[in-house]
Amino acid sequence: MRLKISQRSWLLSLHIATGGLWFGTALCSVALALSILLLKPGEAIHGINLARNVLGQYIIIPAAVFSVITGVLLCGFTNWGFFKHYWVMVKQLVTLVLIMLGSVWLGPMTKEMTALSEAGRSQVLQNPDYLTLQTTATLVGALQTLALLTVIIVSTLKPWGKRRAVQSSTK
């Protein structure tokens, strides 16, 4: 079954919107993480960590999930397919890695930073565990955002073209 052009256009628009939402929210999260460096210790640090945690749970995760769902539907119901084009395969791989890193590593780090900043309040910037988490989460978040931008660029440029058909050898 193939989608009609109008159905494909709507699905593609939803895919672009959810990917853009994921990217934009990730970028905002990195900006918030960097803003901690400009603050004096106090309540604002906990607020920023709490905001980053909320962005992750309620915007990034649903946007990533819907982006994957719409991407799978586009692959399944259009001529792009899952394995016909190198650029689609790269997008799939990078997206999977980003979701795994976010779920297994970045999300829990952000939650731990929020808990530490709530407990430590104005003293949290003297906590070496918090500082390590903050540096790591900011760096990983920035790299994740850069990888998302790369996925967007790959989606637009569609480099590397179509894979050559695998020819079976018959003897």
Side-chain angles (χ1 to χ4, degrees):
M1 179 181 125
R2 294 286 177 227
L3 296 176
K4 296 176 185 173
I5 292 176
S6 64
Q7 293 171 320
R8 180 187 161 278
S9 296
W10 277 105
L11 187 57
L12 184 58
S13 296
L14 185 58
H15 183 66
I16 291 167
T18 56
L21 182 61
W22 182 7
F23 172 72
T25 307
L27 190 60
C28 289
S29 183
V30 171
L32 283 170
L34 291 172
S35 71
I36 290 175
L37 302 173
L38 304 173
L39 296 174
K40 295 179 182 170
E43 296 295 316
I45 292 174
H46 175 63
I48 287 171
N49 287 319
L50 187 60
R52 291 184 68 222
N53 198 30
V54 168
L55 287 172
Q57 286 185 321
Y58 298 106
I59 299 176
I60 290 176
I61 290 172
V65 168
F66 280 113
S67 180
V68 168
I69 290 170
T70 56
V72 166
L73 291 173
L74 284 166
C75 286
F77 295 113
T78 67
N79 290 329
W80 289 329
F82 291 96
F83 304 105
K84 291 180 182 178
H85 301 271
Y86 289 110
W87 65 271
V88 172
M89 293 169 45
V90 168
K91 280 183 60 173
Q92 292 170 4
L93 179 64
V94 172
T95 300
L96 178 64
V97 169
L98 291 175
I99 288 175
M100 293 304 295
L101 280 175
S103 300
V104 174
W105 201 31
L106 194 55
M109 265 196 279
T110 304
K111 287 178 184 175
E112 189 174 348
M113 288 173 58
T114 303
L116 288 171
S117 64
E118 181 178 25
R121 297 290 175 167
S122 63
Q123 302 302 315
V124 75
L125 291 179
Q126 280 75 44
N127 182 334
D129 292 335
Y130 177 83
L131 294 174
T132 300
L133 283 169
Q134 193 233 350
T135 301
T136 305
T138 302
L139 181 61
V140 170
L143 291 173
Q144 181 184 38
T145 304
L146 183 61
L148 281 168
L149 179 59
T150 302
V151 167
I152 291 169
I153 291 168
V154 166
S155 298
T156 305
L157 298 179
K158 298 172 180 52
W160 312 303
K162 197 170 188 176
R163 292 179 60 203
R164 293 177 194 215
V166 179
Q167 301 198 356
S168 61
S169 59
T170 56
K171 292 187 178 187

